[in-house]
Amino acid sequence: MNLPSSGRRVLVSGASRGLGRALARAFAANGDRVAVHYGSREDEARATLDSLTGAGHVLVGGDISDPEGAASVAERAAEGLGGLDVLVNNAAVNTPHPPTTTSYEEWVRQWQSHLSVNLLGTANLSHLAAHRMIEQGTAGRIVNIGSRGAFKGEPDHPAYGATKAAVHALGQSLAVALAPHGIGVASVAPGFIETERVAHRLTDEVRAQSPFGRVASAEEIAEAVLWLASPAAQWSSGTVLDLNGASYLRT
């Protein structure tokens, strides 16, 4: 049940741009084959696919907020790659909904949207991938992209912070449940990352939150995820790894 260090079959959800693209590139550069998932940005996802080194990568579209959509994504990724060894749960919704200025109708809509993608989509893909790994009789890895906001608080994005906290808890429960099958589960909790999605929020004040005076690059986060998905990281199963440049410290 040894997990190879390369040549693995990897599904990255939400891989059309930003961190997802960096994750797909990191695994491909490692010699792995990647299923590039997208929800709605097909053209950008194809650009990600075209940028990957190596061969055997596949493109998989689908709505993971829907249970049937998640099942279709996992099935087509496994079919295209010939199985699954690694799942990276990166797809997420993060739109503002400050509690004091958001209407109740919009508040409900935002919470439903965040829950269905960030938590339920992650939970469903994890279940599907884990069962595929168990049926294969192989070891595997699941790495969840959480957030510093799960600990620090997200006053303008409370559903995002809450669902990411739930993702961390989900990962720890799965780590215990799946260890007997050789499947390690870990999460990362990044602070701000230099991506298109949050470029408008990256002010000097935000950069000053870290004593390094900057935010993370997507490639830095991807390198940490690559290690957590490696054979060497089995003893890190259950970990929530802070990746925030000392911008938020906890014990």
Side-chain angles (χ1 to χ4, degrees), residues 34-47:
V34 182
V36 175
H37 164 259
Y38 67 93
S40 59
R41 295 183 171 89
E42 181 176 357
D43 289 345
E44 290 174 300
R46 288 192 180 279

Side-chain angles (χ1 to χ4, degrees), residues 29-223:
N30 187 61
D32 301 312
R33 290 184 292 123
V34 182
V36 175
H37 164 259
Y38 67 93
S40 59
R41 295 183 171 89
E42 181 176 357
D43 289 345
E44 290 174 300
R46 288 192 180 279
T48 297
L49 184 72
D50 292 342
S51 74
L52 301 185
T53 58
H57 311 299
V58 297
L59 190 68
V60 181
D63 180 9
I64 67 165
S65 71
D66 174 71
E68 292 184 2
S72 175
V73 167
E75 181 178 359
R76 286 182 288 124
E79 287 178 355
L81 298 175
L84 282 179
D85 302 302
V86 177
L87 166 65
V88 182
N89 284 305
N90 174 67
V93 171
N94 185 13
T95 51
H97 49 284
T100 59
T101 58
T102 300
S103 70
Y104 180 65
E105 292 76 15
E106 178 64 10
W107 176 262
V108 170
R109 191 188 72 80
Q110 289 289 350
W111 274 90
Q112 290 174 335
S113 175
H114 282 74
L115 282 166
S116 63
V117 176
N118 299 6
L119 180 55
L120 297 179
T122 293
N124 291 340
L125 282 182
S126 297
H127 182 277
L128 293 158
H131 275 256
R132 175 73 65 166
M133 295 170 191
I134 292 168
E135 290 166 6
Q136 292 169 177
T138 59
R141 295 287 184 271
I142 298 173
V143 184
N144 300 318
I145 307 301
S147 174
R148 178 189 71 170
F151 309 109
K152 187 176 183 293
E154 291 283 356
D156 292 334
H157 305 75
Y160 181 78
T163 52
K164 289 302 187 178
V167 163
H168 295 166
L170 168 67
Q172 292 180 320
S173 295
L174 293 178
V176 177
L178 300 177
H181 301 281
I183 301 171
V185 186
S187 303
V188 296
F192 276 101
I193 308 170
E194 191 92 47
T195 65
E196 304 96 321
R197 188 170 70 174
V198 298
H200 65 288
R201 299 175 63 190
L202 298 183
T203 62
D204 290 342
E205 182 180 5
V206 166
R207 296 179 191 280
Q209 291 177 4
S210 167
F212 291 103
R214 65 178 181 87
V215 299
S217 70
E219 289 73 21
E220 286 175 302
I221 309 303
E223 285 299 319

